[in-house]
Amino acid sequence: MQSLIPLTRDVVLIGGGHSHALVLRQWGMKPLPGARLTVINPGPTAPYTGMLPGFVAGHYTRAELDIDLVRLARFAGARIINDRAIGIDRVAKRVVLQDRPAVAYDIASIDVGITSDLPDLPGFAEHGVPAKPLGGFASRWDAFARSAQPGPVVILGGGVAGAELAMACANRLGGGDITLIDRSEILAELHPKTKSSLFGAMAKLNIKLLPNTPVTKITQTAVVLEDGAQIPSTLTIGAAGAKPQDWLAHTGLDLENGFVRIETSLRSSDPAIFAVGDCAHMGFAPRPKAGVFAVRQAPVLTHNLIAALTGGPEKRFNPQRDYLKLVSLGAKRAVADKAGMRLAGPLLWRLKDKIDR
């Protein structure tokens, strides 16, 4: 009996983000005959976002933080290429790599995450460290925290991610000198009750909060404010905003502020290319950048990649309007926030730990 698809079709996963890691797992449980799966990622592992605050706080080792892409690829019968994608030649259907030859694809998917780099802030590139991509930050933090005298830490960005990092830093350093700065309000996106809990937790850890405080420059030893004041800093962490990777701008795909616009099928404007996770923009249902959406996109992406190869019907991704936010408080405690519900305590941290693991 003749196969419905050619002997070999190439599916290339660009990036080892959360969606792609789960695709590898699902593909391994039910592979598609005649399809060859390839994953491209700068390294053999990919840090898991949800466990980063626990890693910074000292609750997890680096090995526990990292998703083993090599093991997942082996399980999926996929090849893994450790290199960085820097472009896509859509005419030739090739993914352009930084150090290796281009990789051909029939169907491709992009899951390369975002960066919290602050390129427009003078001195940040030389003296700051973005919290994303996670791999570089995790290595930098580990070296810093293990040093004899870590010194003061400043986090730029007063959203949930910045607050979690501030509390995690304080827990790992036994208090220390931690400052959280934002050019507008801190934790503005949270319910007032949840916000009150987090402010209380940060106060107990003696974290200094500077809301509505523009920063003009980063030096080797300080963060310089608009009024000229200098906040001492041995490590300045960027946790503000979400910036797409620059190479996406040269793909010719439809973008939204640099993020790849996708349809309900998770396809981009090019039918042969899908995009998921933080690098994608759901124009049909805009949502904040959060790992929960990447995780829930994975089953739909797996199904639709196979549908694209076999001509089968596609599934639609319908993101939920609200989701449970479990915010770490530095120590093994967490706050839950959803639809105005607010709970806190060690039991919630154990729940978060179980989900993340």
Side-chain angles (χ1 to χ4, degrees), residues 27-52:
W27 194 281
M29 291 187 284
K30 193 176 181 180
L32 177 67
R36 178 170 59 179
L37 192 62
T38 301
V39 59
I40 299 168
N41 195 66
T45 61
Y48 173 58
T49 308
M51 293 172 76
L52 181 67

Side-chain angles (χ1 to χ4, degrees), residues 300-322:
V300 177
L301 176 62
T302 305
H303 176 92
N304 289 351
L305 287 172
I306 293 171
L309 293 173
T310 62
E314 293 183 333
K315 286 186 177 180
R316 174 189 176 97
F317 179 65
N318 296 303
Q320 66 269 44
R321 291 186 177 276
D322 195 14

Side-chain angles (χ1 to χ4, degrees), residues 18 30 77 81 85 105 124 155 158 177 214 249 292 309 315 327:
H18 302 351
K30 193 176 181 180
I81 298 175
Y105 69 87
F124 186 84
I155 295 101
D177 186 353
V292 63
L309 293 173
K315 286 186 177 180
V327 184

Side-chain angles (χ1 to χ4, degrees), residues 38-345:
T38 301
V39 59
I40 299 168
N41 195 66
T45 61
Y48 173 58
T49 308
M51 293 172 76
L52 181 67
F55 167 75
V56 171
H59 306 318
Y60 302 121
T61 65
R62 181 62 191 270
E64 290 173 311
L65 173 70
D66 286 341
I67 298 168
D68 188 341
L69 294 176
V70 174
R71 195 170 99 181
L72 274 174
R74 189 179 298 122
F75 174 71
R79 62 174 176 166
I80 182 167
I81 298 175
N82 289 143
D83 202 349
R84 190 179 302 278
I86 58 172
I88 300 176
D89 182 341
R90 291 169 49 211
V91 175
K93 283 196 164 185
R94 291 181 178 274
V95 181
V96 182
L97 304 183
Q98 182 173 277
D99 299 317
R100 299 188 182 208
V103 177
Y105 69 87
D106 292 292
I107 300 294
S109 178
I110 308 171
D111 186 12
V112 294
I114 55 175
T115 175
S116 51
D117 196 4
L118 298 169
D120 298 327
L121 181 59
F124 186 84
E126 296 82 9
H127 307 297
V129 54
K132 292 186 177 182
L134 301 183
F137 170 72
S139 298
R140 180 78 176 271
W141 168 257
D142 205 28
F144 175 81
R146 291 175 184 275
S147 62
Q149 294 181 318
V153 177
V154 173
I155 295 101
L156 305 178
V160 171
E164 274 193 302
L165 282 176
M167 290 184 282
C169 290
N171 187 81
R172 177 72 178 273
L173 302 178
D177 186 353
I178 314 293
T179 303
L180 180 63
I181 303 177
D182 198 284
R183 64 183 303 117
S184 57
E185 292 298 320
I186 291 174
L187 297 175
E189 71 269 38
L190 290 182
H191 187 277
K193 289 184 179 179
T194 308
K195 189 187 303 186
S196 177
S197 292
L198 293 181
F199 279 141
M202 287 191 283
K204 288 180 181 178
L205 291 168
N206 297 315
I207 296 169
K208 294 186 282 292
L209 305 180
L210 297 179
N212 304 305
T213 305
V215 173
T216 59
K217 185 170 64 173
I218 307 298
T219 70
Q220 188 173 1
T221 58
V223 172
V224 182
L225 307 183
E226 191 175 55
D227 62 5
Q230 296 192 20
I231 308 299
S233 180
T234 307
L235 182 68
T236 301
I237 302 169
K243 182 179 178 294
Q245 295 199 21
D246 293 336
W247 67 267
L248 294 174
H250 308 294
T251 59
L253 299 172
D254 289 349
L255 305 178
E256 179 76 20
N257 296 322
F259 300 98
V260 181
R261 290 184 65 93
I262 57 173
E263 303 169 357
T264 56
S265 63
L266 308 178
R267 288 183 191 263
S268 71
S269 56
D270 183 332
I273 300 176
F274 293 76
V276 286
D278 286 350
C279 71
H281 173 74
M282 296 184 289
F284 58 92
R287 296 290 188 272
K289 301 299 181 186
V292 63
F293 299 115
V295 169
R296 296 195 176 187
Q297 284 169 339
V300 177
L301 176 62
T302 305
H303 176 92
N304 289 351
L305 287 172
I306 293 171
L309 293 173
T310 62
E314 293 183 333
K315 286 186 177 180
R316 174 189 176 97
F317 179 65
N318 296 303
Q320 66 269 44
R321 291 186 177 276
D322 195 14
Y323 60 96
L324 178 65
K325 307 174 190 72
L326 289 169
V327 184
S328 299
L329 300 178
K332 292 184 177 181
R333 295 176 59 83
V335 165
D337 178 76
K338 183 178 181 181
M341 176 191 75
R342 204 277 311 166
L343 298 169

